[in-house]
Amino acid sequence: MSVRFLGRRVYLGLVVVLCSARHAGQNTAAATLCEALAVPLRTLQRWRRWWREDFMHTPLWQVMCARFMPPVSAERLPGDLLARFGGEAAEALQRLLCFLAPITVRAATLAEGR
């Protein structure tokens, strides 16, 4: 299921999480991943900044962060958070996406006749 995430564009939630988790600055692996998925490096950098700065101030994180012990490192988001959901990689990713759903999915209404 795709989710609206970080602006006007729609990305698959797993792309946002996995690309952000693998991107640790401008490196060859991140550039290769961006190219393969057609995600510009600037977009990856913006996503990483969102995880490190904006996400930490969301109402969701403010309420839920104390449930993660030891605390999740802002510098290692979303990878550190993904690791907290445990289990097989696909299951952990699905749990993380469900956790993030309140801040990434909004109900949409279409005008009549569309």
Side-chain angles (χ1 to χ4, degrees), residues 2-112:
S2 64
V3 295
R4 185 172 44 137
F5 197 92
L6 305 176
R8 298 175 307 216
R9 302 219 32 194
V10 175
Y11 293 94
L12 291 175
L14 68 98
V15 170
V16 174
V17 171
L18 295 179
C19 287
S20 296
R22 292 216 33 209
H23 179 66
Q26 189 170 1
N27 61 43
T28 306
T32 302
L33 187 59
C34 289
E35 185 178 312
L37 296 173
V39 177
L41 186 56
R42 281 183 53 185
T43 299
L44 263 182
Q45 291 167 336
R46 188 172 58 251
W47 289 348
R48 291 282 298 150
R49 187 172 46 253
W50 181 85
W51 282 107
R52 288 189 316 259
E53 298 169 11
D54 300 337
F55 175 70
M56 304 301 274
H57 298 290
T58 63
L60 173 71
W61 187 247
Q62 294 298 306
V63 169
M64 301 299 283
C65 67
R67 296 181 183 213
F68 296 96
M69 286 297 157
V72 173
S73 167
E75 289 299 314
R76 290 183 284 205
L77 283 171
D80 202 20
L81 185 57
L82 179 60
R84 303 304 175 89
F85 286 93
E88 296 292 322
E91 293 169 356
L93 181 58
Q94 184 176 8
R95 286 188 207 108
L96 175 58
L97 292 174
C98 287
F99 173 79
L100 295 173
I103 60 172
T104 59
V105 177
R106 290 189 190 160
T109 57
L110 297 176
E112 196 170 322

